[in-house]
Amino acid sequence: MNFKLPPFAIFEDTLTKGSSYYFYDPITEIVAYDEKSLQEAFIELEDLQSQGLYLAGFISYEASYYSYEASYYINKKLAHLRTENDGKLLHFVAFKSYLNKIPNSLTTNATIDLMVDGLSIKDYQKSFNDVQQALINGESYQINLTKNIYAKTS
């Protein structure tokens, strides 16, 4: 392992005030960058889960290009979009413990005083139209259109 494990992970549902999860006591990290390491990662994740560890992380959309059960692309139309240097397909950390409450030492009572949109409505509309056209063209099945919003807290 080339770097230090994160000391904790937080999953928080602020929209519906649902459950919050605070994972701590990290044990190991599982990362996959290609088809071979992705298949190995799934096997390792199953093993860690069977040991009673909690897994926090992500699987990229591009991981769907590969089948876990066989060595072929699921979506051949999109397979050419993935290159070897595209980054992580999967990244998880296994934790020993979790709480259903985020510790008070990690929360704040700060408020957002000012929010400034970093994109004009004209630029956003152009980006939105580009995304719609990419979906129509079949270049992707799902796209997240995001933008920067700058905020000042007190």
Side-chain angles (χ1 to χ4, degrees):
M1 198 169 312
N2 295 333
F3 50 90
K4 187 177 173 186
L5 289 172
F8 61 86
I10 294 174
F11 293 174
E12 182 178 23
D13 182 353
T14 58
L15 184 62
T16 65
K17 305 292 185 205
S19 297
S20 294
Y21 299 95
Y22 170 73
F23 299 94
Y24 59 102
D25 294 334
I27 300 300
T28 190
E29 180 175 50
I30 304 91
V31 181
Y33 292 95
D34 56 29
E35 183 176 11
K36 183 176 186 290
S37 63
L38 182 65
Q39 291 177 359
E40 292 167 354
F42 281 126
I43 292 167
E44 188 174 358
L45 289 172
E46 288 175 356
D47 180 53
L48 293 167
Q49 188 177 29
S50 72
Q51 295 175 39
L53 297 174
Y54 303 97
L55 305 171
F58 72 88
I59 302 173
S60 74
Y61 294 122
E62 292 80 9
S64 71
Y65 299 166
Y66 304 102
S67 169
Y68 173 58
E69 297 297 326
S71 297
Y72 63 89
Y73 280 100
I74 292 175
N75 189 341
K76 293 182 185 290
K77 187 172 182 179
L78 300 177
H80 70 282
L81 299 174
R82 172 106 177 122
T83 65
E84 289 183 24
N85 298 322
D86 278 350
K88 297 174 186 174
L89 291 170
L90 173 148
H91 188 173
F92 278 83
V93 175
F95 294 91
K96 265 200 259 186
S97 308
Y98 90 97
L99 297 171
N100 284 109
K101 182 177 190 277
I102 300 169
N104 290 336
S105 62
L106 297 176
T107 62
T108 179
N109 290 325
T111 59
I112 298 174
D113 295 328
L114 176 68
M115 293 179 68
V116 178
D117 192 338
L119 193 62
S120 71
I121 189 69
K122 180 181 175 185
D123 289 337
Y124 179 81
Q125 187 62 55
K126 181 187 178 319
S127 296
F128 184 83
N129 291 340
D130 291 345
V131 164
Q132 291 295 308
Q133 193 58 52
L135 290 168
I136 290 167
N137 293 343
E139 296 171 32
S140 181
Y141 63 92
Q142 182 174 10
I143 298 174
N144 292 324
L145 176 59
T146 62
K147 60 182 180 173
N148 289 328
I149 296 179
Y150 304 98
K152 180 181 177 193
T153 61
S154 61

